[in-house]
Amino acid sequence: MEVFLQWGIMLLGILGVVQLGELLSIWLRRPKKRPASFCVMPLHGSIGNVEQVLTYFQEVALWSPEVQLAFVIDCGLEEHSALACKEWCNQKNRLIFCTQKEFEDICKGFQDRVY
């Protein structure tokens, strides 16, 4: 019984050393600069309660520690909904309201650093 216990402990020790090596190699190969990350919420059509939808999205975006920017993208919103979204986003610092073309232009700067 002691021999099985010793073999089991030795096997677990070897697996622990392998896991430690893997963790060290991942840490050494990490990117020097943290890649940009952002949340995106595409909207289209008519939105009944703009404040509720955007407040929820803002809370979700703020909850994630990796998120640096949060975008609300106009993918064919009706005029009154688009104006309400733009007005709401202008009052908040974390949400950026833009069209699809503007979002593509913004992403071109991050294209080389996205993984």
Side-chain angles (χ1 to χ4, degrees), residues 8-25:
I9 291 172
M10 187 172 60
L11 180 64
L12 289 176
I14 291 170
L15 289 175
V17 169
V18 168
Q19 288 289 316
L20 185 63
E22 179 185 21
L23 183 66
L24 184 64
S25 83

Side-chain angles (χ1 to χ4, degrees), residues 38-43 50-63 67-73 84-98 106:
F38 42 86
C39 283
V40 177
M41 182 175 196
L43 297 174
V50 171
E51 184 176 346
Q52 181 182 11
V53 170
L54 294 180
T55 301
Y56 176 75
F57 176 62
Q58 182 181 19
E59 293 300 320
V60 169
L62 290 174
W63 180 78
V67 172
Q68 297 167 352
L69 297 170
F71 292 97
V72 178
I73 302 176
C85 287
K86 188 171 188 171
E87 182 179 309
W88 196 91
C89 289
N90 286 338
Q91 295 173 358
K92 307 298 176 185
N93 293 334
R94 291 285 305 245
L95 296 181
I96 300 168
F97 184 81
C98 60
I106 292 168

Side-chain angles (χ1 to χ4, degrees), residues 64-113:
S64 176
E66 296 90 21
V67 172
Q68 297 167 352
L69 297 170
F71 292 97
V72 178
I73 302 176
D74 180 359
C75 295
L77 280 171
E78 292 183 5
E79 283 187 47
H80 63 87
S81 294
L83 288 174
C85 287
K86 188 171 188 171
E87 182 179 309
W88 196 91
C89 289
N90 286 338
Q91 295 173 358
K92 307 298 176 185
N93 293 334
R94 291 285 305 245
L95 296 181
I96 300 168
F97 184 81
C98 60
T99 63
Q100 289 177 331
K101 179 66 176 154
E102 293 169 341
F103 183 68
E104 287 175 12
D105 293 339
I106 292 168
C107 287
K108 285 181 184 176
F110 294 109
Q111 203 167 25
D112 294 336
R113 292 179 268 154

